[in-house]
Structures are given as structure tokens and as C-alpha cells.
Amino acid sequence: MKSSSRIAVGVAGAVAGYIATFVLLSFFDFGNRADPITSGLLGLFVYSPIGAIAGAVLASWLVTRPETDASNGSVARTSLKSLGIVALFCVAAAATYLAYAYATATPWLNPNAANPLLVFEVRFPAGVTVPASAQGITIELQTDLNTMPAELTPAAFHRDGDQPVIAGEVELAFRTSHRQLAVSIQGQPTRIYPIDLTARAPHTPEFGTWRRLADGSEIRYRAKWPGKT
């Protein structure tokens, strides 16, 4: 039998040995019943691989034994090559899974910690009526992944000359570069302000420059990360 054929048989033996060992362990309820998770992990990553080794060696020995040049060395070489192919396949499968998991995972901006904030100020043209409190004003952050209501800061409302300015903040939950702030004041059209931050929205201690809409209103903002000012 050709070397490649013997290796293929060894690979099949390794796979069969792994599956057979795991099935037998499950059938006979092997392990600690009080800790089935640990028992299952031992079966998957310790006992079943031993079964795979035994299966590869047995299959290699069976296909090599009839040949006149059969020896323990040839059986060992065939077994090692077969197990190497199985190991490479496992590594490739694990890498593929990790790449898929990373690509499809929820893109949290700050995993396992508090969300950063978008701190903003909106300045309106002179003559625009703006409530002195949060009542009558609705602001939300809109992204391609979610929408998030903003919290207004009435104590920070002020006038810049004859122009009213409102202020607030909103959580930045997800890693995305598609963000906009929708500002709705009762009795007025909704104003949409593009938020030109990178997907990772790095912390900035100062506001950026004012950005103007066609109606003359302006916005400035910064990203504020937990623990920073």
C-alpha cells in the first residue's frame, strides 16, 4: 500500500478512535457525576485524544503488518504523520472558528466595563426658541447598530451671546464609525448632526471645533472614557 494511503488510513483510525472513546465514556457515564462539566472536558481533551492516538497506531499497524518491510519504525512513522495531519486539521478548524466568532461577536466599544460617553453641546442661531429645561427636548444617538437616548444637562444650558446652547451626554456602547445625533425640539424640525468619531472613539479631554448644519445650528463634542476627565 502506498505511503499516502497508509497515512489516510491512519487519519481515519485517529478520528474513529477519538469518536469511539468519547462515545464509550458517555455511554458508561464515566467521570464525576457531581461535576459533569469537568468530566466532559477531560473526555474531550484528555481521554479522547488518547483514543485517537491508539486508533492511529492500530490502523497503521493493521495496514503495515502484511507488508514484507513492516517494522515498528514504519508503524510509528505512519502513526505520527497521521496524527500530525489530524492536529493540523484541528488547528485549522479552531482558527476558522475563532475568526468567525470574532467577526460575528457583538462589537462592544469597552467590553466588561462602563460605556464611554459622547459629551456634546448644541448651539442654535439667534432667535431660535429653546426650552430652559429638558422638557420638550429629545435627543438620541443613532448608529447602524443601535439607538441610545441622551441625558440632557440643564445646569449646563447657557447663552453664547444671543445664541442658546444646550448640553448633554449619551453612552457610546458599540464600536462603529456610523454615528449621528438626532435633536428634536417640540414644534421644530428634527436636526441630524453627523458625529465624526472613529469606530473606537478615543478619549479627548477638550471639545472639538463647532460643526455647522445648513440651518445655522452647530454642534461640538468629545468622547469621555470611564476614569478620565
Side-chain angles (χ1 to χ4, degrees), residues 124 128-131 183-191:
F124 298 92
V128 172
T129 302
V130 176
V183 178
S184 299
I185 298 177
Q186 189 172 3
Q188 300 180 26
T190 297
R191 297 173 173 90

Side-chain angles (χ1 to χ4, degrees), residues 2-210:
K2 293 182 179 180
S3 176
S4 58
S5 298
R6 283 182 284 179
I7 292 172
V9 172
V11 170
V15 173
Y18 185 96
I19 295 174
T21 302
F22 187 76
V23 170
L24 286 173
L25 291 174
S26 301
F27 181 77
F28 290 106
D29 200 18
F30 179 84
N32 184 0
R33 294 184 179 181
D35 191 2
I37 295 178
T38 300
S39 297
L41 292 175
L42 285 173
L44 283 170
F45 299 110
V46 178
Y47 301 121
S48 293
I50 293 173
I53 295 172
V57 172
L58 178 61
S60 299
W61 179 74
L62 289 174
V63 298
T64 305
R65 187 180 63 163
E67 301 179 8
T68 57
D69 62 342
S71 65
N72 290 337
S74 62
V75 172
R77 285 192 298 273
T78 301
S79 301
L80 287 174
K81 290 177 181 178
S82 301
L83 291 170
I85 291 174
V86 172
L88 287 175
F89 175 79
C90 292
V91 170
T96 301
Y97 171 77
L98 289 175
Y100 172 79
Y102 179 80
T104 58
T106 302
W108 296 108
L109 185 59
N110 193 25
N112 304 317
N115 289 328
L117 298 173
L118 177 73
V119 183
F120 60 86
E121 289 185 344
V122 179
R123 184 168 65 185
F124 298 92
V128 172
T129 302
V130 176
S133 67
Q135 188 173 2
I137 304 175
T138 302
I139 301 178
E140 68 176 14
L141 178 70
Q142 301 171 345
T143 79
D144 56 335
L145 299 173
N146 75 321
T147 59
M148 183 71 70
E151 292 188 10
L152 290 169
T153 311
F157 287 14
H158 63 279
R159 299 190 70 84
D160 185 0
D162 56 357
Q163 294 181 268
V165 179
I166 63 174
E169 59 188 29
V170 61
E171 292 185 2
L172 297 171
F174 297 107
R175 188 175 63 250
T176 176
S177 57
H178 302 285
R179 303 184 180 101
Q180 62 184 25
L181 202 69
V183 178
S184 299
I185 298 177
Q186 189 172 3
Q188 300 180 26
T190 297
R191 297 173 173 90
I192 304 295
Y193 300 92
I195 303 300
D196 187 21
L197 291 176
T198 63
R200 296 189 180 277
H203 175 83
T204 51
E206 303 290 339
F207 282 111
T209 58
W210 289 103

